[in-house]
């Protein structure tokens, strides 16, 4: 069985959504990122992945896969009939990778990561200054479409939905971008997405402040 190492409401939420949308069973291991420990086992999480970050997907043969873009694409390809990623050779396959890269680099690492981990205003000034320009890109793209790629939900939507959920606690109100606000509302209306968020929100609330 697949195993996902995750931290509640971290970027690994997208991988949980993808697993559920694909109809794949998995074991979920909760990671306390501050202490680099795993809730259901002893030892240092860095023994699972030297990067010390989620998601980590343990494959059925024991190999480990890290980085959201790679994990999400692997999950999608396990169940190609679910349409979570376009088929190889389809131009939309590369559009999907384009969006996964953009979300990971320009929203996650450039804004969300420093916002939640850096403490001084000097470090936060640059990401705060550029986030409005960054968000204008998916906002314009979604002005006349339901999903990021093609005509159906893909792993790129799982990734962006997670990022948009975290913007408000990071101090950004997406109501400034009506296409993004409407898009997030549609994503949260999906039963699987709603269930995944509810599961992780409950787990998040139970985490001791020093272990989050």
């Amino acid at each position: 069985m697949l195993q996902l190492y995750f931290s509640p409401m971290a970027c690994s939420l997208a991988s949980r959504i993808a697993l559920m949308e694909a109809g794949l069973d998995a074991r979920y291991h909760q990671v306390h990122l501050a202490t680099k420990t795993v809730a259901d086992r002893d030892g240092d999480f860095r023994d699972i992945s030297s990067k010390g970050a989620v998601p980590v997907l343990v494959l059925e043969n024991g190999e480990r896969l890290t980085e959201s873009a790679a994990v999400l694409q692997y999950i999608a390809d396990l169940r190609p009939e679910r349409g979570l990623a376009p088929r190889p050779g389809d131009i939309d396959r590369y559009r999907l990778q384009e969006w996964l890269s953009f979300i990971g680099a320009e929203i996650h690492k450039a804004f969300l990561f420093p916002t939640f981990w850096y403490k001084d205003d000097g470090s936060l000034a640059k990401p705060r200054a550029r986030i409005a320009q960054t968000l204008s890109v998916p906002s314009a793209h979604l002005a006349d479409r339901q999903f990021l790629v093609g005509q159906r939900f893909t792993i790129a939507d799982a990734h962006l939905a997670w990022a948009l959920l975290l913007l408000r606690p990071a101090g950004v109100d997406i109501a400034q971008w009506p296409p993004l606000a409407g898009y997030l509302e549609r994503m949260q209306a999906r039963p699987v997405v709603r269930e995944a968020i509810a599961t992780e929100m409950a787990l998040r609330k139970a985490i001791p402040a020093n272990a989050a």
Side-chain angles (χ1 to χ4, degrees), residues 29-56:
H29 304 285
Q30 183 173 337
V31 177
H32 300 306
L33 291 174
T35 58
K36 303 301 181 187
T37 57
V38 183
D40 61 356
R41 59 185 58 194
D42 295 329
D44 194 316
F45 172 56
R46 286 164 292 198
D47 293 334
I48 304 296
S49 172
S50 60
K51 295 176 181 177
V54 295
V56 178

PDB file of all heavy atoms in Angstrom, residues 29-56:
ATOM      1  N   HIS A  29       0.893   9.104   7.484  1.00  0.00           N
ATOM      2  CA  HIS A  29       1.746   9.284   8.658  1.00  0.00           C
ATOM      3  C   HIS A  29       1.919  10.785   8.898  1.00  0.00           C
ATOM      4  O   HIS A  29       2.489  11.492   8.062  1.00  0.00           O
ATOM      5  CB  HIS A  29       3.112   8.637   8.442  1.00  0.00           C
ATOM      6  CG  HIS A  29       3.053   7.178   8.099  1.00  0.00           C
ATOM      7  ND1 HIS A  29       2.778   6.211   9.037  1.00  0.00           N
ATOM      8  CD2 HIS A  29       3.212   6.536   6.912  1.00  0.00           C
ATOM      9  CE1 HIS A  29       2.795   5.014   8.450  1.00  0.00           C
ATOM     10  NE2 HIS A  29       3.045   5.189   7.164  1.00  0.00           N
ATOM     11  N   GLN A  30       1.450  11.247  10.038  1.00  0.00           N
ATOM     12  CA  GLN A  30       1.504  12.682  10.341  1.00  0.00           C
ATOM     13  C   GLN A  30       2.882  13.079  10.847  1.00  0.00           C
ATOM     14  O   GLN A  30       3.408  12.478  11.788  1.00  0.00           O
ATOM     15  CB  GLN A  30       0.445  13.040  11.376  1.00  0.00           C
ATOM     16  CG  GLN A  30       0.391  14.528  11.696  1.00  0.00           C
ATOM     17  CD  GLN A  30      -0.772  14.870  12.601  1.00  0.00           C
ATOM     18  OE1 GLN A  30      -1.765  14.142  12.662  1.00  0.00           O
ATOM     19  NE2 GLN A  30      -0.662  15.977  13.305  1.00  0.00           N
ATOM     20  N   VAL A  31       3.427  14.113  10.224  1.00  0.00           N
ATOM     21  CA  VAL A  31       4.761  14.609  10.568  1.00  0.00           C
ATOM     22  C   VAL A  31       4.641  15.915  11.341  1.00  0.00           C
ATOM     23  O   VAL A  31       3.867  16.804  10.961  1.00  0.00           O
ATOM     24  CB  VAL A  31       5.598  14.848   9.292  1.00  0.00           C
ATOM     25  CG1 VAL A  31       6.961  15.434   9.639  1.00  0.00           C
ATOM     26  CG2 VAL A  31       5.745  13.544   8.507  1.00  0.00           C
ATOM     27  N   HIS A  32       5.398  16.027  12.430  1.00  0.00           N
ATOM     28  CA  HIS A  32       5.517  17.288  13.166  1.00  0.00           C
ATOM     29  C   HIS A  32       6.770  17.981  12.631  1.00  0.00           C
ATOM     30  O   HIS A  32       7.891  17.599  12.973  1.00  0.00           O
ATOM     31  CB  HIS A  32       5.616  17.042  14.666  1.00  0.00           C
ATOM     32  CG  HIS A  32       4.432  16.338  15.244  1.00  0.00           C
ATOM     33  ND1 HIS A  32       3.138  16.792  15.083  1.00  0.00           N
ATOM     34  CD2 HIS A  32       4.338  15.207  15.971  1.00  0.00           C
ATOM     35  CE1 HIS A  32       2.285  15.980  15.695  1.00  0.00           C
ATOM     36  NE2 HIS A  32       2.987  15.005  16.238  1.00  0.00           N
ATOM     37  N   LEU A  33       6.570  18.974  11.788  1.00  0.00           N
ATOM     38  CA  LEU A  33       7.700  19.564  11.086  1.00  0.00           C
ATOM     39  C   LEU A  33       8.659  20.303  12.010  1.00  0.00           C
ATOM     40  O   LEU A  33       9.863  20.320  11.768  1.00  0.00           O
ATOM     41  CB  LEU A  33       7.190  20.508   9.995  1.00  0.00           C
ATOM     42  CG  LEU A  33       6.495  19.810   8.818  1.00  0.00           C
ATOM     43  CD1 LEU A  33       5.907  20.853   7.865  1.00  0.00           C
ATOM     44  CD2 LEU A  33       7.442  18.881   8.082  1.00  0.00           C
ATOM     45  N   ALA A  34       8.141  20.915  13.067  1.00  0.00           N
ATOM     46  CA  ALA A  34       9.008  21.681  13.963  1.00  0.00           C
ATOM     47  C   ALA A  34      10.010  20.783  14.678  1.00  0.00           C
ATOM     48  O   ALA A  34      11.147  21.179  14.919  1.00  0.00           O
ATOM     49  CB  ALA A  34       8.169  22.446  14.978  1.00  0.00           C
ATOM     50  N   THR A  35       9.579  19.575  15.014  1.00  0.00           N
ATOM     51  CA  THR A  35      10.446  18.656  15.761  1.00  0.00           C
ATOM     52  C   THR A  35      11.020  17.546  14.884  1.00  0.00           C
ATOM     53  O   THR A  35      11.810  16.732  15.358  1.00  0.00           O
ATOM     54  CB  THR A  35       9.663  18.019  16.919  1.00  0.00           C
ATOM     55  OG1 THR A  35       8.515  17.340  16.388  1.00  0.00           O
ATOM     56  CG2 THR A  35       9.208  19.087  17.912  1.00  0.00           C
ATOM     57  N   LYS A  36      10.595  17.496  13.621  1.00  0.00           N
ATOM     58  CA  LYS A  36      11.043  16.467  12.679  1.00  0.00           C
ATOM     59  C   LYS A  36      10.766  15.065  13.234  1.00  0.00           C
ATOM     60  O   LYS A  36      11.615  14.168  13.159  1.00  0.00           O
ATOM     61  CB  LYS A  36      12.537  16.620  12.344  1.00  0.00           C
ATOM     62  CG  LYS A  36      12.914  17.972  11.772  1.00  0.00           C
ATOM     63  CD  LYS A  36      12.162  18.296  10.479  1.00  0.00           C
ATOM     64  CE  LYS A  36      12.584  19.652   9.919  1.00  0.00           C
ATOM     65  NZ  LYS A  36      11.762  20.081   8.774  1.00  0.00           N
ATOM     66  N   THR A  37       9.570  14.897  13.775  1.00  0.00           N
ATOM     67  CA  THR A  37       9.159  13.600  14.287  1.00  0.00           C
ATOM     68  C   THR A  37       7.879  13.164  13.580  1.00  0.00           C
ATOM     69  O   THR A  37       7.180  13.973  12.965  1.00  0.00           O
ATOM     70  CB  THR A  37       8.905  13.644  15.798  1.00  0.00           C
ATOM     71  OG1 THR A  37       7.917  14.653  16.086  1.00  0.00           O
ATOM     72  CG2 THR A  37      10.187  13.963  16.563  1.00  0.00           C
ATOM     73  N   VAL A  38       7.581  11.872  13.682  1.00  0.00           N
ATOM     74  CA  VAL A  38       6.394  11.291  13.071  1.00  0.00           C
ATOM     75  C   VAL A  38       5.492  10.790  14.184  1.00  0.00           C
ATOM     76  O   VAL A  38       5.955  10.122  15.119  1.00  0.00           O
ATOM     77  CB  VAL A  38       6.759  10.142  12.119  1.00  0.00           C
ATOM     78  CG1 VAL A  38       5.521   9.595  11.422  1.00  0.00           C
ATOM     79  CG2 VAL A  38       7.781  10.613  11.083  1.00  0.00           C
ATOM     80  N   ALA A  39       4.218  11.116  14.104  1.00  0.00           N
ATOM     81  CA  ALA A  39       3.299  10.859  15.212  1.00  0.00           C
ATOM     82  C   ALA A  39       3.181   9.383  15.564  1.00  0.00           C
ATOM     83  O   ALA A  39       3.022   9.042  16.734  1.00  0.00           O
ATOM     84  CB  ALA A  39       1.919  11.440  14.883  1.00  0.00           C
ATOM     85  N   ASP A  40       3.258   8.513  14.566  1.00  0.00           N
ATOM     86  CA  ASP A  40       2.975   7.098  14.835  1.00  0.00           C
ATOM     87  C   ASP A  40       4.215   6.205  14.814  1.00  0.00           C
ATOM     88  O   ASP A  40       4.100   4.991  14.713  1.00  0.00           O
ATOM     89  CB  ASP A  40       1.939   6.559  13.836  1.00  0.00           C
ATOM     90  CG  ASP A  40       2.418   6.634  12.392  1.00  0.00           C
ATOM     91  OD1 ASP A  40       3.518   7.166  12.145  1.00  0.00           O
ATOM     92  OD2 ASP A  40       1.690   6.142  11.508  1.00  0.00           O
ATOM     93  N   ARG A  41       5.387   6.805  14.932  1.00  0.00           N
ATOM     94  CA  ARG A  41       6.601   5.981  14.982  1.00  0.00           C
ATOM     95  C   ARG A  41       7.747   6.754  15.621  1.00  0.00           C
ATOM     96  O   ARG A  41       7.728   7.991  15.663  1.00  0.00           O
ATOM     97  CB  ARG A  41       7.003   5.485  13.592  1.00  0.00           C
ATOM     98  CG  ARG A  41       7.272   6.578  12.579  1.00  0.00           C
ATOM     99  CD  ARG A  41       7.541   5.960  11.203  1.00  0.00           C
ATOM    100  NE  ARG A  41       6.401   5.155  10.783  1.00  0.00           N
ATOM    101  CZ  ARG A  41       6.441   4.293   9.772  1.00  0.00           C
ATOM    102  NH1 ARG A  41       7.557   4.112   9.096  1.00  0.00           N
ATOM    103  NH2 ARG A  41       5.359   3.608   9.428  1.00  0.00           N
ATOM    104  N   ASP A  42       8.730   6.031  16.112  1.00  0.00           N
ATOM    105  CA  ASP A  42       9.889   6.645  16.743  1.00  0.00           C
ATOM    106  C   ASP A  42      10.912   7.049  15.680  1.00  0.00           C
ATOM    107  O   ASP A  42      10.871   6.579  14.543  1.00  0.00           O
ATOM    108  CB  ASP A  42      10.542   5.671  17.730  1.00  0.00           C
ATOM    109  CG  ASP A  42       9.624   5.330  18.907  1.00  0.00           C
ATOM    110  OD1 ASP A  42       8.820   6.209  19.286  1.00  0.00           O
ATOM    111  OD2 ASP A  42       9.713   4.196  19.413  1.00  0.00           O
ATOM    112  N   GLY A  43      11.831   7.896  16.093  1.00  0.00           N
ATOM    113  CA  GLY A  43      12.922   8.275  15.211  1.00  0.00           C
ATOM    114  C   GLY A  43      12.731   9.636  14.580  1.00  0.00           C
ATOM    115  O   GLY A  43      11.707  10.300  14.741  1.00  0.00           O
ATOM    116  N   ASP A  44      13.738  10.029  13.844  1.00  0.00           N
ATOM    117  CA  ASP A  44      13.790  11.329  13.185  1.00  0.00           C
ATOM    118  C   ASP A  44      13.173  11.206  11.794  1.00  0.00           C
ATOM    119  O   ASP A  44      13.514  10.292  11.023  1.00  0.00           O
ATOM    120  CB  ASP A  44      15.250  11.775  13.076  1.00  0.00           C
ATOM    121  CG  ASP A  44      15.399  13.243  12.712  1.00  0.00           C
ATOM    122  OD1 ASP A  44      14.681  13.713  11.804  1.00  0.00           O
ATOM    123  OD2 ASP A  44      16.237  13.924  13.326  1.00  0.00           O
ATOM    124  N   PHE A  45      12.280  12.136  11.464  1.00  0.00           N
ATOM    125  CA  PHE A  45      11.653  12.133  10.147  1.00  0.00           C
ATOM    126  C   PHE A  45      12.693  12.223   9.037  1.00  0.00           C
ATOM    127  O   PHE A  45      12.486  11.705   7.929  1.00  0.00           O
ATOM    128  CB  PHE A  45      10.657  13.292  10.052  1.00  0.00           C
ATOM    129  CG  PHE A  45      10.086  13.511   8.677  1.00  0.00           C
ATOM    130  CD1 PHE A  45       9.431  12.495   7.994  1.00  0.00           C
ATOM    131  CD2 PHE A  45      10.200  14.753   8.051  1.00  0.00           C
ATOM    132  CE1 PHE A  45       8.905  12.703   6.723  1.00  0.00           C
ATOM    133  CE2 PHE A  45       9.676  14.968   6.785  1.00  0.00           C
ATOM    134  CZ  PHE A  45       9.027  13.938   6.124  1.00  0.00           C
ATOM    135  N   ARG A  46      13.830  12.834   9.332  1.00  0.00           N
ATOM    136  CA  ARG A  46      14.861  12.953   8.302  1.00  0.00           C
ATOM    137  C   ARG A  46      15.481  11.616   7.933  1.00  0.00           C
ATOM    138  O   ARG A  46      16.184  11.509   6.928  1.00  0.00           O
ATOM    139  CB  ARG A  46      15.926  13.960   8.756  1.00  0.00           C
ATOM    140  CG  ARG A  46      15.432  15.402   8.668  1.00  0.00           C
ATOM    141  CD  ARG A  46      16.264  16.374   9.444  1.00  0.00           C
ATOM    142  NE  ARG A  46      16.130  16.157  10.880  1.00  0.00           N
ATOM    143  CZ  ARG A  46      16.457  17.053  11.796  1.00  0.00           C
ATOM    144  NH1 ARG A  46      16.895  18.241  11.418  1.00  0.00           N
ATOM    145  NH2 ARG A  46      16.312  16.796  13.083  1.00  0.00           N
ATOM    146  N   ASP A  47      15.193  10.585   8.737  1.00  0.00           N
ATOM    147  CA  ASP A  47      15.595   9.238   8.330  1.00  0.00           C
ATOM    148  C   ASP A  47      14.675   8.710   7.224  1.00  0.00           C
ATOM    149  O   ASP A  47      15.044   7.794   6.485  1.00  0.00           O
ATOM    150  CB  ASP A  47      15.540   8.277   9.530  1.00  0.00           C
ATOM    151  CG  ASP A  47      16.585   8.620  10.582  1.00  0.00           C
ATOM    152  OD1 ASP A  47      17.615   9.216  10.220  1.00  0.00           O
ATOM    153  OD2 ASP A  47      16.365   8.287  11.764  1.00  0.00           O
ATOM    154  N   ILE A  48      13.486   9.272   7.125  1.00  0.00           N
ATOM    155  CA  ILE A  48      12.567   8.928   6.033  1.00  0.00           C
ATOM    156  C   ILE A  48      12.936   9.708   4.789  1.00  0.00           C
ATOM    157  O   ILE A  48      12.992   9.178   3.680  1.00  0.00           O
ATOM    158  CB  ILE A  48      11.105   9.238   6.431  1.00  0.00           C
ATOM    159  CG1 ILE A  48      10.728   8.506   7.732  1.00  0.00           C
ATOM    160  CG2 ILE A  48      10.142   8.905   5.304  1.00  0.00           C
ATOM    161  CD1 ILE A  48      10.740   7.004   7.624  1.00  0.00           C
ATOM    162  N   SER A  49      13.178  11.007   4.969  1.00  0.00           N
ATOM    163  CA  SER A  49      13.625  11.865   3.876  1.00  0.00           C
ATOM    164  C   SER A  49      14.629  12.869   4.417  1.00  0.00           C
ATOM    165  O   SER A  49      14.307  13.619   5.348  1.00  0.00           O
ATOM    166  CB  SER A  49      12.447  12.603   3.241  1.00  0.00           C
ATOM    167  OG  SER A  49      12.918  13.559   2.301  1.00  0.00           O
ATOM    168  N   SER A  50      15.794  12.890   3.849  1.00  0.00           N
ATOM    169  CA  SER A  50      16.835  13.803   4.332  1.00  0.00           C
ATOM    170  C   SER A  50      16.444  15.260   4.145  1.00  0.00           C
ATOM    171  O   SER A  50      17.006  16.150   4.790  1.00  0.00           O
ATOM    172  CB  SER A  50      18.153  13.519   3.608  1.00  0.00           C
ATOM    173  OG  SER A  50      18.004  13.696   2.208  1.00  0.00           O
ATOM    174  N   LYS A  51      15.458  15.538   3.273  1.00  0.00           N
ATOM    175  CA  LYS A  51      14.998  16.912   3.072  1.00  0.00           C
ATOM    176  C   LYS A  51      14.221  17.427   4.274  1.00  0.00           C
ATOM    177  O   LYS A  51      14.086  18.639   4.453  1.00  0.00           O
ATOM    178  CB  LYS A  51      14.121  16.986   1.822  1.00  0.00           C
ATOM    179  CG  LYS A  51      14.867  16.668   0.529  1.00  0.00           C
ATOM    180  CD  LYS A  51      13.919  16.657  -0.675  1.00  0.00           C
ATOM    181  CE  LYS A  51      14.669  16.320  -1.943  1.00  0.00           C
ATOM    182  NZ  LYS A  51      13.763  16.242  -3.123  1.00  0.00           N
ATOM    183  N   GLY A  52      13.649  16.523   5.056  1.00  0.00           N
ATOM    184  CA  GLY A  52      12.887  16.937   6.234  1.00  0.00           C
ATOM    185  C   GLY A  52      11.623  17.691   5.911  1.00  0.00           C
ATOM    186  O   GLY A  52      11.137  18.483   6.723  1.00  0.00           O
ATOM    187  N   ALA A  53      11.076  17.463   4.715  1.00  0.00           N
ATOM    188  CA  ALA A  53       9.894  18.195   4.272  1.00  0.00           C
ATOM    189  C   ALA A  53       8.860  17.218   3.733  1.00  0.00           C
ATOM    190  O   ALA A  53       9.182  16.097   3.313  1.00  0.00           O
ATOM    191  CB  ALA A  53      10.269  19.210   3.194  1.00  0.00           C
ATOM    192  N   VAL A  54       7.612  17.640   3.762  1.00  0.00           N
ATOM    193  CA  VAL A  54       6.525  16.862   3.174  1.00  0.00           C
ATOM    194  C   VAL A  54       6.159  17.477   1.823  1.00  0.00           C
ATOM    195  O   VAL A  54       6.443  18.649   1.584  1.00  0.00           O
ATOM    196  CB  VAL A  54       5.300  16.842   4.123  1.00  0.00           C
ATOM    197  CG1 VAL A  54       5.636  16.104   5.401  1.00  0.00           C
ATOM    198  CG2 VAL A  54       4.778  18.248   4.428  1.00  0.00           C
ATOM    199  N   PRO A  55       5.537  16.675   0.945  1.00  0.00           N
ATOM    200  CA  PRO A  55       5.130  15.286   1.113  1.00  0.00           C
ATOM    201  C   PRO A  55       6.270  14.310   0.835  1.00  0.00           C
ATOM    202  O   PRO A  55       7.216  14.628   0.112  1.00  0.00           O
ATOM    203  CB  PRO A  55       4.033  15.122   0.061  1.00  0.00           C
ATOM    204  CG  PRO A  55       4.497  16.018  -1.057  1.00  0.00           C
ATOM    205  CD  PRO A  55       5.104  17.218  -0.372  1.00  0.00           C
ATOM    206  N   VAL A  56       6.136  13.122   1.437  1.00  0.00           N
ATOM    207  CA  VAL A  56       6.957  11.972   1.050  1.00  0.00           C
ATOM    208  C   VAL A  56       5.977  10.848   0.743  1.00  0.00           C
ATOM    209  O   VAL A  56       5.139  10.513   1.581  1.00  0.00           O
ATOM    210  CB  VAL A  56       7.915  11.529   2.167  1.00  0.00           C
ATOM    211  CG1 VAL A  56       8.703  10.295   1.716  1.00  0.00           C
ATOM    212  CG2 VAL A  56       8.854  12.659   2.562  1.00  0.00           C
TER     213      VAL A  56
END
